[in-house]
Amino acid sequence: NAGVTQTPKFRVLKTGQSMTLLCAQDMNHEYMYWYRQDPGMGLRLIHYSVGEGTTAKGEVPDGYNVSRLKKQNFLLGLESAAPSQTSVYFCASSYPADSSYEQYFGPGTRLTVT
Amino acid sequence: GENVEQHPSTLSVQEGDSAVIKCTYSDSASNYFPWYKQELGKGPQLIIDIRSNVGEKKDQRIAVTLNKTAKHFSLHITETQPEDSAVYFCAAGKTGANSKLTFGKGITLSVRP
């Protein structure tokens, strides 16, 4: 199993450009999450999904949109990138149905907006 | 919503010594408290977790204690080794439907050889 994979690993955008980050998991997990990690700020939840076709806002959702059309994929979109969105983005998944709430994280995407 | 505070922000110990990292949380309804370790350039990985119906849990050199009354929980690492050097995050959340976590800001642990 590959676990949780993220595409791309690095990206540089100009202000106002758009992009989509892809998260894929092969563990049949129901729940998926997008976080951003900034120095001194820890991990902050952007959006999450508790199943295919569902999404919900997290702590810092503004400027981002998400979609979960397939159970194994969770997409994070930036419609008009801003320098404040420069960050490392992590995707995670979990399978609460087995009473384990462990979140499995991907390797991250480093995004720079100039 | 939940607020998780993590202290201190950096910690340096001598190899072989113990390290203790403390976190506080605000929501008394939170019942799940995991600890994650993040090595440089990687995603965080769960190292131990505890539910609110348990006061302490151990796994080899690491242990977690929970004080529900004071709303704090701590990570204890004994016999530290250089490979324990990493960033450690505590988190708090609720089990059940719509489960999600609130993370602390993280602590950088350095183990001096």
Side-chain angles (χ1 to χ4, degrees), chain A residues 18-37:
Chain A
S18 63
M19 78 162 295
T20 299
L21 282 66
L22 171 63
C23 176
Q25 52 93 6
D26 61 2
M27 297 174 284
N28 199 34
H29 284 178
E30 289 293 333
Y31 288 24
M32 296 186 75
Y33 309 83
W34 274 109
Y35 294 90
R36 60 178 290 172
Q37 183 176 23

Side-chain angles (χ1 to χ4, degrees), chain B residues 32-49:
Chain B
Y32 175 62
F33 308 93
W35 285 89
Y36 284 79
K37 175 183 180 183
Q38 184 180 29
E39 297 177 344
L40 197 61
K42 296 184 178 180
Q45 187 170 11
L46 180 74
I47 55 171
I48 196 167
D49 58 11

Side-chain angles (χ1 to χ4, degrees), chain B residues 7-25:
Chain B
H7 309 280
S9 59
T10 61
L11 180 62
S12 180
V13 299
Q14 193 70 36
E15 182 177 358
D17 287 350
S18 295
V20 181
I21 305 168
K22 180 176 174 179
C23 283
T24 60
Y25 63 99

